[in-house]
Amino acid sequence: MTQILSSISHSLYLIMQYGQCQLSIVPVRADHTDPAEMVTQVLFGEVFLVIEKHHQWRKIRMAHDEYEGWIDQKQMIEIEEEDFNEIIEEKAHSYAITEEVSSSDRMVHITKGSLIPYYKDQHFYIGKEKFEMDSFPYLKHKVDRSDLKEIALSYLEAPYLWGGRTPFGIDCSGFSQIVYKIAGIKIKRDASQQVKEGKQIDLMYANTGDLAFFINANEKIHHVGILLDEHTIIHAAGKIRIDKLDEKGIYNKDRDEYTHRLYTINTYL
């Protein structure tokens, strides 16, 4: 037993480091193995705490939503606490579906929603690496409902991917979270967490950008979408699509049936 505990203590223990994603997209897994379920993704520029390690694996806690999971340490860089504390206040994001950013050593294809810290005069930094960026990052100091609508519509036809947060694969709560994040509002990662934030309102008072939540047969929150208006919703169901919404839920015209049962509407503005 002593030998087993000693082995565990060498491979898995609590630490406290600060990390940043320097690659386009990094999968975050439920456990410290490659076959483990992907529960979310870290996008280029985003920062996190490293709270545990197991061989080459690092358990992280995302800065913007406190979501936890495991990444391979080869897919991150360490940063200083001072940089971490400054970057968590950043609200500048890339807005193109993809674009190239380059340093003196490499070029990276980043996706929509990537964090652009320390941006100035078409340059920004990831750790100590200086990147050039031809376009301007998206930055809103005052959020308007039309911003949420514009950002949401830009993801139309993106395929559904469990744990995804990009235009090349995204899930329902990843979609609502990244739209709000680009607009400058931080919300949690999962629908079951997001429903506890904001203010619940009746559908008759709903407005563009509000979130609609849906329950399954077990009365559990299992889906979320973004209202384009009182009767229309954009959400991830196979792909990012637009459907009709009423007091019963989401009506899918392609299937000629209701596919999701409405639970509540939440407003965050």
Side-chain angles (χ1 to χ4, degrees):
M1 179 64 74
T2 302
Q3 186 177 1
I4 294 174
L5 291 175
S6 177
S7 175
I8 292 174
S9 67
H10 279 84
S11 62
L12 178 61
Y13 54 90
L14 292 175
I15 57 177
M16 192 60 71
Q17 296 174 340
Y18 303 91
Q20 186 172 26
C21 180
Q22 87 286 20
L23 302 175
S24 302
I25 310 158
V26 170
V28 181
R29 303 196 179 279
D31 204 356
H32 41 70
T33 63
D34 283 313
E37 172 191 15
M38 184 178 77
V39 293
T40 191
Q41 295 171 321
V42 191
L43 304 188
F44 180 84
E46 292 183 330
V47 294
F48 44 84
L49 288 171
V50 180
I51 57 175
E52 291 183 26
K53 62 190 296 187
H54 179 79
H55 302 303
Q56 83 271 24
W57 293 90
R58 300 293 180 266
K59 188 174 186 180
I60 67 170
R61 179 180 298 142
M62 298 291 292
H64 64 273
D65 61 8
E66 299 182 335
Y67 209 74
E68 296 182 2
W70 293 86
I71 66 172
D72 191 311
Q73 64 90 20
K74 296 187 293 295
Q75 296 184 310
M76 59 162 281
I77 58 171
E78 291 185 28
I79 60 174
E80 299 296 326
E81 181 180 4
E82 180 181 357
D83 288 322
F84 174 86
N85 289 331
E86 290 185 12
I87 293 171
I88 60 177
E89 300 301 325
E90 291 275 8
K91 293 185 178 181
H93 294 83
S94 62
Y95 196 66
I97 298 299
T98 63
E99 62 182 304
E100 298 176 358
V101 296
S102 58
S103 70
S104 59
D105 297 321
R106 62 192 181 112
M107 184 264 292
V108 183
H109 292 274
I110 66 174
T111 68
K112 191 184 198 73
S114 297
L115 188 64
I116 309 299
Y118 303 125
Y119 179 84
K120 185 178 181 181
D121 299 328
Q122 294 185 297
H123 294 88
F124 66 94
Y125 285 86
I126 300 295
K128 299 185 182 302
E129 192 173 10
K130 183 179 181 179
F131 282 88
E132 293 184 3
M133 182 177 183
D134 291 335
S135 65
F136 293 99
Y138 187 96
L139 176 61
K140 278 286 185 175
H141 295 288
K142 184 178 180 181
V143 181
D144 187 86
R145 291 183 181 276
S146 61
D147 300 328
L148 294 168
K149 181 177 181 178
E150 175 188 309
I151 298 167
L153 288 172
S154 71
Y155 281 85
L156 267 175
E157 298 295 317
Y160 182 89
L161 175 66
W162 180 271
R165 297 177 64 222
T166 81
F168 300 100
I170 197 163
D171 62 25
C172 66
S173 57
F175 174 56
S176 55
Q177 186 195 52
I178 198 68
V179 168
Y180 268 68
K181 188 170 182 282
I182 293 172
I185 301 173
K186 293 180 181 180
I187 61 175
K188 295 292 186 179
R189 176 60 176 86
D190 291 340
S192 60
Q193 299 171 317
Q194 294 171 1
V195 74
K196 299 175 183 177
E197 303 175 296
K199 178 184 177 182
Q200 292 190 358
I201 57 174
D202 292 331
L203 180 60
M204 63 183 297
Y205 300 114
N207 208 332
T208 301
D210 292 337
L211 298 187
F213 294 90
F214 304 86
I215 51 177
N216 59 20
N218 296 320
E219 306 295 316
K220 301 291 185 182
I221 300 293
H222 77 123
H223 193 65
V224 60
I226 302 172
L227 270 67
L228 296 178
D229 56 49
E230 183 183 344
H231 302 293
T232 313
I233 189 169
I234 182 169
H235 64 127
K239 63 179 182 179
I240 300 297
R241 57 178 291 132
I242 296 174
D243 285 307
K244 293 297 182 182
L245 177 72
D246 60 26
E247 291 80 3
K248 288 179 64 176
I250 295 175
Y251 178 76
N252 185 314
K253 64 179 180 181
D254 297 330
R255 294 168 54 177
D256 191 25
E257 65 178 351
Y258 283 92
T259 56
H260 298 82
R261 183 157 57 107
L262 182 64
Y263 173 71
T264 188
I265 310 289
N266 282 20
T267 186
Y268 301 81
L269 298 178

